[in-house]
């Protein structure tokens, strides 16, 4: 699964660019240049998704980009999102049992933090998935 969220980039009459995420109405920012707007987009996306994860709010999967620019949250939020989406239909208790760990330990994997690769591999295996890393 990919957690690249598309956004619109609109030039503003007074200069700069407005960024609005397609799937997250509260996620918007701006930048003086397209490059700055893209950097700010990743920052605001990370913040909005981290808050939603911490508060147990609904997180929509990203829409297809369809030629729009996309932003990725930082690595700890990406890891939590991937576990969040992969465990749909599985309770935290089921995940903890399958991993041979405690419920609080399984819950920590669904929150932004710094899980180890070993923890992520165990969680992926428990969900019938495999961990794949990529540098882009």
């Amino acid at each position: 699964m990919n957690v690249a969220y598309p956004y619109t980039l609109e030039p503003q009459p007074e200069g700069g660019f407005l960024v609005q995420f397609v799937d997250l109405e509260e996620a918007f920012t701006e930048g003086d240049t397209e490059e700055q707007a893209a950097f700010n987009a990743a920052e605001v996306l990370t913040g909005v998704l981290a808050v939603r994860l911490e508060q147990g709010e609904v997180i929509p999967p990203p829409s297809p980009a369809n030629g729009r620019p996309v932003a990725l949250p930082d690595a700890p939020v990406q890891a939590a999102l991937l576990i969040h989406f992969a465990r749909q239909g599985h309770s935290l208790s089921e995940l903890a049992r399958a991993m041979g760990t405690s419920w609080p330990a399984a819950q920590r994997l669904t929150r932004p933090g710094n899980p180890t690769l070993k923890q992520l591999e165990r969680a992926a295996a428990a969900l019938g998935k495999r961990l794949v890393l990529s540098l882009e």
Side-chain angles (χ1 to χ4, degrees), residues 28-39:
F28 59 91
T29 189
E30 60 187 5
D32 291 334
T33 64
E34 287 186 36
E35 182 179 271
Q36 184 183 42
F39 177 85

Side-chain angles (χ1 to χ4, degrees), residues 4-135:
Y5 281 82
Y7 61 88
T8 59
L9 186 65
E10 297 176 29
Q12 298 300 291
E14 63 278 358
F17 296 87
L18 174 67
V19 171
Q20 174 67 52
F21 282 88
V22 174
D23 302 302
L24 305 159
E25 68 181 37
E26 75 272 31
F28 59 91
T29 189
E30 60 187 5
D32 291 334
T33 64
E34 287 186 36
E35 182 179 271
Q36 184 183 42
F39 177 85
N40 293 344
E43 293 289 310
V44 77
L45 178 65
T46 295
V48 166
L49 292 173
V51 167
R52 284 190 176 204
L53 283 164
E54 287 292 333
Q55 295 180 354
E57 295 178 10
V58 172
I59 300 174
S63 295
N66 294 334
R68 294 177 290 230
V70 297
L72 289 156
D74 68 13
V77 171
Q78 282 186 49
L81 276 177
L82 292 171
I83 297 297
H84 171 82
F85 288 133
R87 68 169 268 273
Q88 297 303 313
H90 300 279
S91 71
L92 280 174
S93 297
E94 291 172 322
L95 177 59
R97 273 192 299 278
M99 290 177 63
T101 192
S102 67
W103 186 89
Q107 184 186 37
R108 280 192 296 276
L109 291 173
T110 66
R111 304 281 190 252
N114 293 305
T116 66
L117 287 176
K118 185 174 184 174
Q119 289 170 319
L120 291 173
E121 286 176 324
R122 287 178 55 208
L127 294 166
K129 308 279 185 187
R130 66 185 183 95
L131 179 64
V132 177
L133 298 176
S134 172
L135 295 174

